Amino acid sequence: MQFTSEQRFDDGVLQREFTLGATPGTLWTSGIAPAPLVLMSHNNGLPKADPRLVARARYTAARGYAVATIDAAGCGDRPRSAAEERARADLRRAMRAGEPVDEIFESLVGPMVEKAVPEWQMTLDALLELPGIAGPVGYSGGWTALGIRLAVVEPRIAAAGFFAGGFVPRAQREEARQVTIPLLFLLQWDDEGNPRQRALDLFDAFGSKEKTLHANLGGHTGTPWFELEDGCRFLDRHLK
């Protein structure tokens, strides 16, 4: 892992950009050590510099966590295959036209999850070797499919917060039954991009004995700010 730049903010949070092989990432810390680690993903295709993700990361780091994200394969500025770009274009067209999107979604997101998981695990290995960062590890993010797979295959993840979950590949919907860690599941009741009933069915499928559903009115990007505070309290219960 090689750090390439750093910036200290007025709230005391230090933001450092890094590279790990071909994978670019960002780490936020507040100087409190040892700090539990939170892996914070973003929706597939968006960059790690997405303002909403950065705001969540800084807030969480200021609460005493080390927070990290990466641009996995096909995300941010990383190269995308012609097949991925065609699938994205087909998905947008089908959604605008109100046509079925399941098979297009499977062809796009399923392979992205398969490619992303090893990169996130490699990043987790490197982060836990840094001074001042320790387990347990949490997951927080809008890429629910990735979080499900990581929760199944990565025993170091002790708790997870998922944002939306209407469209999740079939493989991860099946794997949800194997997820047993504590969960906080956020649902926007009027989310135009994530069917409500599918999200509710996914929540019901999780095998966790402790799982909490927070539902708020509004569209996909309308999650109330207070949910970030509640999310940190959830992490506090399970990571500190």
Side-chain angles (χ1 to χ4, degrees):
M1 176 175 285
Q2 180 179 1
F3 288 99
T4 57
S5 67
E6 65 177 50
Q7 180 180 2
R8 177 81 65 177
F9 297 102
D10 292 341
D11 57 7
V13 172
L14 177 64
Q15 175 180 296
R16 288 182 286 175
E17 304 294 327
F18 66 82
T19 57
L20 185 61
T23 305
T26 308
L27 174 65
W28 294 266
T29 53
S30 63
I32 299 174
L37 175 62
V38 176
L39 304 178
M40 191 167 285
S41 76
H42 45 293
N43 290 330
N44 51 80
L46 291 177
K48 60 185 177 61
D50 179 76
R52 289 178 296 158
L53 181 141
V54 172
R56 294 195 343 257
R58 286 182 55 184
Y59 183 92
T60 306
R63 291 278 295 253
Y65 292 94
V67 182
T69 191
I70 63 171
D71 275 343
C75 295
D77 294 329
R78 294 189 63 182
R80 303 179 185 184
S81 69
E84 288 173 340
E85 291 300 276
R86 284 195 301 271
R88 281 192 172 90
D90 289 343
L91 184 62
R92 289 191 294 267
R93 178 195 55 75
M95 292 185 73
R96 286 195 300 268
E99 299 173 354
V101 299
D102 290 84
E103 295 309 317
I104 303 173
F105 183 84
E106 291 284 339
S107 69
L108 173 64
V109 179
M112 288 184 68
V113 171
E114 297 295 333
K115 289 187 290 186
V117 167
E119 294 191 341
W120 277 93
Q121 289 184 298
M122 179 178 64
T123 303
L124 177 57
D125 291 340
L127 289 168
L128 289 177
E129 293 180 356
L130 296 176
I133 298 179
V137 179
Y139 177 91
S140 175
W143 196 351
T144 301
L146 171 66
I148 292 171
R149 172 59 62 83
L150 284 174
V152 170
V153 303
E154 184 47 71
R156 290 173 290 185
I157 295 179
F162 297 143
F163 305 158
F167 278 117
V168 170
R170 285 187 289 267
Q172 278 67 65
R173 299 186 80 84
E174 290 298 320
E175 287 177 328
R177 306 180 190 282
Q178 304 174 44
V179 175
T180 58
I181 59 175
L183 294 179
L184 175 62
F185 193 85
L186 300 186
L187 170 62
Q188 285 301 103
W189 204 245
D190 309 299
D191 192 334
E192 62 279 6
N194 283 278
R196 182 191 307 165
Q197 190 57 54
R198 287 193 181 196
L200 293 172
D201 291 343
L202 179 63
F203 177 78
D204 189 52
F206 286 121
S208 304
K209 292 183 178 179
E210 180 182 337
K211 54 182 179 179
T212 302
L213 172 67
H214 286 188
N216 292 282
L217 296 177
H220 185 70
T221 60
T223 303
W225 184 253
F226 62 73
E227 288 291 3
L228 182 53
E229 183 179 358
D230 287 347
C232 284
R233 284 199 292 264
F234 167 80
L235 293 174
D236 290 346
R237 290 198 299 272
H238 299 290
L239 303 185
K240 289 186 176 180

